[in-house]
Amino acid sequence: AQSVAQPEDQVNVAEGNPLTVKCTYSVSGNPYLFWYVQYPNRGLQFLLKYITGDNLVKGSYGFEAEFNKSQTSFHLKKPSALVSDSALYFCAVGDQTGANNLFFGTGTRLTVIP
Amino acid sequence: DADVTQTPRNRITKTGKRIMLECSQTKGHDRMYWYRQDPGLGLRLIYYSFDVKDINKGEISDGYSVSRQAQAKFSLSLESAIPNQTALYFCATRSADRDNQPQHFGDGTRLSIL
């Protein structure tokens, strides 16, 4: 079975500082990993994904994520946080069956302080 | 994602009532999904459909049913609503052209059952 864990319910960071939102995963084979962002009263928006290849994945809005197989992690990062980055962030893993469904973490609320 | 439209956006109803949530998409995607979001639990899959003749149960299908009326339409029904079905419900779509494509979400329906 596959799963993801987001160990932090809340992350606070000052505007202009680097941010990291953590995600660890558990799968039996090669992982397919995703990050989504949710703004208030909106659905989830896709940020980036890792399927194979380079361990550093670049995505929308200046975000990137680093895949680390030995630590089974896929942390989301941004070099300089903006107030507008404040939102709820979800990590997800694709299942290993033909259905390719997603299993989501519990979410991390990021607050960027001006 | 404006290409995935959910109606209604908000609904308040009473225990025992039948409720239908509707989802339509203009993305031309074959795959459609229904999730519920609860605070601290992330998103959980209720049902998914890979085409009009294909309906599959997800992680938490009890108490729910779905109908795929057309490629573009996928509705979720609560036959007899109960208070613990109060949640935020999301519809999502995905292309089947290639595996591990991201899902595209509607803006959700906030359902309250009194």
Side-chain angles (χ1 to χ4, degrees):
Chain A
Q2 55 282 307
S3 63
V4 292
Q6 293 181 245
E8 300 160 317
D9 293 335
Q10 174 82 42
V11 171
N12 297 325
V13 63
E15 185 177 22
N17 282 2
L19 70 86
T20 299
V21 182
K22 296 179 180 178
C23 173
T24 59
Y25 66 88
S26 174
V27 296
S28 57
N30 293 322
Y32 306 137
L33 297 161
F34 300 78
W35 275 103
Y36 285 82
V37 60
Q38 184 182 27
Y39 298 104
N41 300 313
R42 301 298 304 276
L44 278 68
Q45 297 178 30
F46 170 73
L47 281 178
L48 51 80
K49 67 178 180 181
Y50 172 83
I51 305 300
T52 187
D54 291 341
N55 290 342
L56 187 63
V57 180
K58 295 188 181 296
S60 306
Y61 312 122
F63 284 93
E64 58 190 25
E66 186 172 8
F67 171 69
N68 187 317
K69 188 173 183 177
S70 63
Q71 298 185 3
T72 63
S73 67
F74 189 55
H75 300 332
L76 182 70
K77 300 182 179 185
K78 187 173 183 180
S80 179
L82 301 173
V83 172
S84 58
D85 293 329
S86 298
L88 188 56
Y89 290 81
F90 289 96
C91 181
V93 62
D95 76 16
Q96 304 295 296
T97 70
N100 297 127
N101 291 332
L102 292 180
F103 290 85
F104 287 86
T106 52
T108 298
R109 185 164 300 281
L110 173 69
T111 300
V112 180
I113 303 166
Chain B
D1 193 324
D3 297 325
V4 183
T5 303
Q6 293 185 235
T7 56
R9 292 295 314 278
N10 293 279
R11 177 80 183 272
I12 301 173
T13 191
K14 296 181 179 180
T15 297
K17 294 291 188 181
R18 184 179 188 275
I19 302 160
M20 179 180 286
L21 309 183
E22 299 189 1
C23 177
S24 63
Q25 52 119 345
T26 58
K27 300 187 78 68
H29 289 169
D30 292 321
R31 301 187 178 193
M32 298 187 73
Y33 306 80
W34 275 105
Y35 293 91
R36 65 176 279 176
Q37 182 182 11
D38 298 277
L41 294 179
L43 275 75
R44 292 180 292 168
L45 183 63
I46 305 172
Y47 271 95
Y48 61 101
S49 169
F50 284 176
D51 64 39
V52 174
K53 298 180 181 179
D54 179 82
I55 302 289
N56 303 279
K57 293 183 177 180
E59 180 185 356
I60 53 163
S61 59
D62 287 349
Y64 301 95
S65 62
V66 291
S67 174
R68 185 83 182 264
Q69 301 96 322
Q71 188 205 36
K73 295 184 182 296
F74 191 37
S75 60
L76 175 71
S77 294
L78 289 68
E79 295 301 326
S80 180
I82 55 177
N84 75 1
Q85 291 177 312
T86 293
L88 189 52
Y89 289 84
F90 287 103
C91 174
T93 74
R94 184 166 79 83
S95 170
D97 289 343
R98 288 181 294 169
D99 286 341
N100 300 304
Q101 291 302 298
Q103 294 183 14
H104 299 261
F105 287 79
D107 286 336
T109 294
R110 187 170 297 279
L111 179 61
S112 297
I113 300 165
L114 307 178

